[in-house]
Amino acid sequence: MEVTRALKLSVFAHGVSMIRLHPQLCARLSVGEGERAECTFGRLSAQAPVWADPALPADTVAVSTPLADRLLLRDVAARVRVWPSGRKFHIGPTVGVLSNPRWIEKQKRYAPSPLALALERLADAADRIGALAYVFRMRDVDWEGQRVHAFVRTTRGAWTRMWLPLPDVVYDQVVSRRLEQDANYQRDRARLARLYQDKMFNAGFFDKWQVYEWLAQDVRLRRHIPSTIRYQQADRAARFLAKHSVVFAKPAHGSLGLGIVRFVRQPDGTWICEVKRKQKPPWRVQADHALAAIQQLRPRLEARPYILQQGIDLARTGDRPFDIRIVLQRDGTGAWRRTKMFARIAGPGEFTSNLSSGGQALPVPVLLSTVFPASAVRSRCMRQIRRVARLVAEAMERGAGQTFGELGIDIGIDTTGKAWVIEVNSKPWKSPSTGKGRPELVEMAFRRPMEYAVYLATRQ
């Protein structure tokens, strides 16, 4: 997407706030000389008189230094455009990326991390489509001044800090669940959401129980959703285990598969309980019956909200389970597009397929060809995967009552080729680099959120 109908912006030195336009542009916009016009940059606005200047290019809006300074515009004027509408000039588009990177003040740079690299990719993608993206933390917001102490990527590839207006659109990329659970942060994010409404997207993480309720409201999806309950009482949980041979207990607010418990009923009626741990083999205990299995893990299950979910008899490759990760993103027209789809195979001895814990990524057709030799089964499976992903996006937005810019959808495939919705993620991780993958898909994963942000910023 290119920003093509906007005008160029320049700043000139003068002691008074004013706007200069070529006479032809004045006529085209029906702006008389001496009339006052409004300039907005992000959430800041100011008025100034318009004067005709035949020496100015016809595709340029020139603002004086006092006006540029009132709008916090001077240092980034060369990187934004002007969108005219009569006697109103909106400068931008600006995209605020709400995030939580660690800034090293003495070195004036981000601490090296995958998140820092991802933020670089987002800022560069915005620059290439004619938008200005800047990163800010919630504590960087000056609510009264309608501005943020933002991190801006310079044209030389470094980061610098400057005061800029609250942007046109906010793209939430906070990836810390600990920060998300902070009461002050939650209060400020709710304030930001009220201010931006539909011009803020992908705010917060999903609650797995709420996701289940949203999806279950769609009759077309119910047959693709594993039976699920909230953990509330040990007796009820034990009865749920008794109905299924495999049950997963998942933290309602967890990620990366950490804290997941797998309950597996053995042929003799006993249960094996395994707890997913970070960079360690699963912790295992044994229980004589379902209630005893729950009791073994009761302190964990009651320490924070959990859901219990029916285990699906997933298809396997080399005795390792796998699922399909689909990344759906909206593009510059607001339409959903499938950016990525790949299979994730669980690491040896693991029961989750997260790549962060040793999982392996493969192209979906390659994996399915080894699991389902019959081409008819593979074709039916692929059609079902695509259809279910589309229905999930529709159901999530309908249930949440808001529009998302991207979703990560994990779909399991059982031994018959049927698709099951395993999980939905509001902040699918976008790797800033690729090993065996296609570089153009990596680029697209960062470009599309910026295109969608520009769409939100510029639509009437």
Side-chain angles (χ1 to χ4, degrees):
M1 174 182 174
E2 297 292 335
V3 178
T4 56
R5 62 184 179 90
L7 303 170
K8 296 177 183 178
L9 176 70
S10 67
V11 178
F12 64 92
H14 199 280
V16 178
S17 289
M18 66 171 65
I19 303 167
R20 287 179 177 170
L21 306 176
H22 190 279
Q24 291 180 1
L25 187 55
C26 286
R28 196 177 75 179
L29 299 176
S30 301
V31 180
E33 193 164 17
E35 290 185 336
R36 297 183 69 81
E38 182 182 22
C39 284
T40 61
F41 181 40
R43 291 272 167 169
L44 293 179
S45 66
Q47 291 190 350
V50 174
W51 299 101
D53 183 354
L56 200 66
D59 64 347
T60 299
V61 175
V63 300
S64 64
T65 46
L67 181 58
D69 290 341
R70 287 173 63 188
L71 295 173
L72 304 177
L73 177 61
R74 193 193 295 206
D75 292 335
V76 294
R79 302 175 63 180
V80 290
R81 309 286 182 87
V82 183
W83 303 73
S85 177
R87 288 193 294 275
K88 292 184 177 181
F89 299 93
H90 184 69
I91 301 166
T94 54
V95 183
V97 181
L98 178 62
S99 191
N100 59 312
R102 188 168 70 87
W103 177 255
I104 305 175
E105 184 61 36
K106 289 184 178 180
Q107 301 177 20
K108 302 298 182 185
R109 66 176 179 86
Y110 285 135
S113 68
L115 175 58
L117 291 175
L119 294 175
E120 288 180 9
R121 296 297 296 260
L122 287 172
D124 292 346
D127 191 60
R128 282 192 288 273
I129 63 171
L132 175 65
Y134 41 92
V135 180
F136 71 100
R137 301 165 300 190
M138 195 66 79
R139 64 177 181 269
D140 297 324
V141 178
D142 173 12
W143 296 100
E144 298 303 319
Q146 293 284 284
R147 60 180 187 163
V148 292
H149 200 196
F151 301 87
V152 182
R153 190 155 161 82
T154 69
T155 54
R156 298 186 303 277
W159 290 93
T160 187
R161 295 198 74 182
M162 65 180 70
W163 284 102
L164 289 171
L166 281 170
D168 296 318
V169 175
V170 174
Y171 174 36
D172 188 342
Q173 284 292 276
V174 171
V175 296
S176 169
R177 286 186 179 268
R178 179 176 297 178
L179 179 60
E180 283 271 345
Q181 294 167 3
D182 180 80
N184 291 331
Y185 176 84
Q186 291 177 352
R187 179 201 63 214
D188 288 341
R189 192 185 65 199
R191 182 176 182 179
L192 200 65
R194 288 194 300 271
L195 180 65
Y196 278 91
Q197 298 184 33
D198 64 348
K199 292 188 185 296
M200 179 176 179
F201 62 98
N202 285 69
F205 290 97
F206 292 145
D207 177 302
K208 290 182 176 62
W209 175 249
Q210 194 169 59
V211 168
Y212 169 76
E213 291 188 311
W214 289 340
L215 298 182
Q217 290 173 9
D218 191 318
V219 295
R220 300 167 298 177
L221 276 174
R222 286 176 190 163
R223 62 183 296 268
H224 298 284
I225 306 171
S227 178
T228 305
I229 64 169
R230 277 192 295 184
Y231 177 85
Q232 293 175 312
Q233 296 175 331
D235 290 348
R236 186 184 180 209
R239 289 195 295 272
F240 187 81
L241 260 63
K243 294 179 181 178
H244 308 285
S245 58
V246 178
V247 169
F248 288 90
K250 300 179 179 180
H253 303 286
S255 61
L256 302 177
L258 299 179
I260 290 181
V261 181
R262 181 173 69 166
F263 298 93
V264 182
R265 182 164 52 203
Q266 305 301 299
D268 62 358
T270 62
W271 288 84
I272 297 292
C273 316
E274 299 174 292
V275 181
K276 169 75 174 177
R277 297 187 294 177
K278 187 176 183 179
Q279 297 178 339
K280 292 181 180 179
W283 177 72
R284 303 183 71 189
V285 294
Q286 193 164 2
D288 291 336
H289 48 82
L291 182 58
I294 293 295
Q295 296 286 9
Q296 288 267 22
L297 278 300
R298 190 170 180 176
R300 174 182 292 271
L301 298 176
E302 295 181 355
R304 54 176 170 162
Y306 264 82
I307 64 167
L308 300 180
Q309 191 173 80
Q310 166 197 2
I312 304 302
D313 186 14
L314 294 176
R316 293 171 173 259
T317 175
D319 201 35
R320 293 157 64 185
F322 66 89
D323 63 17
I324 311 297
R325 162 58 66 93
I326 298 177
V327 177
L328 294 182
Q329 295 177 310
R330 291 191 182 273
D331 64 10
T333 69
W336 279 114
R337 302 293 183 192
R338 188 176 69 250
T339 301
K340 291 183 179 181
M341 181 170 71
F342 55 93
R344 305 184 306 176
I345 306 172
E350 296 285 346
F351 55 82
T352 66
S353 59
N354 301 81
L355 301 184
S356 60
S357 58
Q360 177 186 359
L362 279 180
V364 176
V366 172
L367 181 62
L368 291 184
S369 66
T370 65
V371 177
F372 300 111
S375 61
V377 175
R378 293 197 303 272
S379 297
R380 185 178 71 247
C381 187
M382 289 296 294
R383 288 195 301 271
Q384 196 173 128
I385 290 170
R386 295 188 181 104
R387 176 177 175 270
V388 167
R390 176 176 52 81
L391 292 176
V392 165
E394 294 176 6
M396 290 295 295
E397 291 188 326
R398 188 165 51 248
Q402 60 178 289
T403 300
F404 299 107
E406 60 186 356
L407 291 170
I409 304 170
D410 297 337
I411 294 179
I413 307 298
D414 70 16
T415 54
T416 69
K418 180 182 175 181
W420 295 84
V421 181
I422 303 299
E423 197 158 321
V424 185
N425 192 329
S426 64
K427 291 185 171 69
W429 173 246
K430 298 177 287 294
S431 176
S433 60
T434 182
K436 300 179 181 179
R438 294 163 53 188
E440 66 271 22
L441 293 184
V442 174
E443 167 64 24
M444 189 183 298
F446 291 97
R447 188 180 73 245
R448 278 182 168 163
M450 294 297 98
E451 290 179 342
Y452 178 58
V454 170
Y455 163 78
L456 293 178
T458 57
R459 71 175 181 176
Q460 295 300 314

